Amino acid sequence: MFRALLFDVDGTLAETERDGHRPAFNAAFAEAGLAWRWDPALYGELLAVAGGKERIAAFARRADPDFLAAPDAEARIRALHAGKTRHYLAALAGGAIGLRPGVAELLSAARAASTRLAIATTTTPDNVTALLAATLGPEAVGWFEVIGAGDVVAAKKPAPDIYRFVLAGLGTDAADCLAIEDSAVGLQAALAAGVPTVVTRSFYTAGEDFRGALAVLPDLAAVGLEGLARLWRSAHG
Ligand code: XBP
Ligand code: MG
């Protein structure tokens, strides 16, 4: 049986992207007087780049090269991203986003079985705390022994760094853990760190290439803790 469950956040714990992060980016752009607007289809393309600041820079590179050429471009991206985070946190606090099916049940079964819990995400740490508090209560953040999030590592997913950070914090071998991811980028990060991974497809990732996953499921309601344990054992001969 695996010792720890490592959860991705966006798309895995909750469908945060289309109606959470995306409108928060747009609100920050409008506030800064920029004409940029990310509609749901464009945002789906932009998700190929993980991390909000990195996503803004990737968009500017193709849509507004003058913005990037300015000497203060990096500072402006940081300010835009801070505004985006403020809008996103307000939306979460207002109850805009709920957990995906089966997430709360799995967390409670894992806690009952003393399975260790951790988070490995690209998103900003405050976003994780706010999502957990809004959906599971303020004590839920304490259920996770390690929360690896955002800029704590230099290279974001698909680099394995955030998984390595979490594994080091837990002091466990990668093979003794199970990661739950929703995207090809996240799957690549977990596999590159040696963590067996189950994928739950999400709104934007349903058509991606999930080769290497132990299983690809519609959501976590389709499998309980026991089902995950069976999948994990199947990879351990
Ligand atoms: C998904 C992401 C994140 C969010 C934005 O992260 O790519 O970048 O879209 O978050 P994961 P920030 O699936 O690893 O949880 O704007 O806070 O960077
Ligand atoms: Mg994700």
Side-chain angles (χ1 to χ4, degrees), residues 83-146:
K84 177 260 168 176
T85 299
R86 184 166 35 79
H87 287 288
Y88 182 66
L89 292 176
L92 288 179
I97 309 277
L99 295 178
R100 291 191 63 192
V103 170
E105 294 79 0
L106 176 61
L107 288 174
S108 119
R111 294 181 68 227
S114 299
T115 303
R116 302 172 75 190
L117 299 173
I119 279 175
T121 177
T122 300
T123 204
T124 300
D126 284 351
N127 296 350
V128 181
T129 313
L131 177 69
L132 294 174
T135 54
L136 292 162
E139 70 287 354
V141 70
W143 301 347
F144 296 86
E145 277 182 58
V146 183

Side-chain angles (χ1 to χ4, degrees), residues 8-12 181-183:
D8 168 53
V9 174
D10 295 298
T12 297
E181 276 282 357
D182 73 300
S183 67

Side-chain angles (χ1 to χ4, degrees), residues 13-140:
L13 294 184
E15 281 282 12
T16 52
E17 295 290 6
R18 188 188 59 186
D19 302 325
H21 289 292
R22 186 187 64 86
F25 280 110
N26 284 330
F29 299 155
E31 216 166 52
L34 289 166
W36 301 352
R37 195 174 174 286
W38 293 353
D39 66 27
L42 171 61
Y43 192 66
E45 291 171 36
L46 297 174
L47 280 174
V49 176
K53 291 186 287 294
E54 294 81 354
R55 190 167 301 141
I56 293 169
F59 172 77
R61 203 166 296 127
R62 77 185 218 193
D64 196 345
D66 290 348
F67 177 95
L68 268 196
D72 62 346
E74 214 179 291
R76 288 182 75 191
I77 289 174
R78 271 201 305 276
L80 280 172
H81 189 253
K84 177 260 168 176
T85 299
R86 184 166 35 79
H87 287 288
Y88 182 66
L89 292 176
L92 288 179
I97 309 277
L99 295 178
R100 291 191 63 192
V103 170
E105 294 79 0
L106 176 61
L107 288 174
S108 119
R111 294 181 68 227
S114 299
T115 303
R116 302 172 75 190
L117 299 173
I119 279 175
T121 177
T122 300
T123 204
T124 300
D126 284 351
N127 296 350
V128 181
T129 313
L131 177 69
L132 294 174
T135 54
L136 292 162
E139 70 287 354

Side-chain angles (χ1 to χ4, degrees), residues 102-214:
V103 170
E105 294 79 0
L106 176 61
L107 288 174
S108 119
R111 294 181 68 227
S114 299
T115 303
R116 302 172 75 190
L117 299 173
I119 279 175
T121 177
T122 300
T123 204
T124 300
D126 284 351
N127 296 350
V128 181
T129 313
L131 177 69
L132 294 174
T135 54
L136 292 162
E139 70 287 354
V141 70
W143 301 347
F144 296 86
E145 277 182 58
V146 183
I147 297 186
D151 296 332
V152 71
V153 291
K156 293 191 173 156
K157 298 175 186 178
D161 303 34
I162 195 68
Y163 277 98
R164 290 192 178 136
F165 174 89
V166 169
L167 291 168
L170 289 171
T172 51
D173 287 341
D176 290 333
C177 300
L178 182 70
I180 318 282
E181 276 282 357
D182 73 300
S183 67
V185 162
L187 172 65
Q188 285 159 24
L191 292 181
V195 185
T197 305
V198 166
V199 168
T200 51
R201 288 186 295 261
S202 65
F203 177 78
Y204 276 118
T205 67
E208 293 182 355
D209 180 355
F210 295 125
R211 258 172 293 182
L214 290 183

Side-chain angles (χ1 to χ4, degrees), residues 1-2 5 105-106 108-115 178 220 223-231:
M1 171 70 167
F2 47 79
L5 275 173
E105 294 79 0
L106 176 61
S108 119
R111 294 181 68 227
S114 299
T115 303
L178 182 70
L220 283 171
V223 69
L225 186 67
E226 271 313 306
L228 289 177
R230 271 195 299 277
L231 288 167

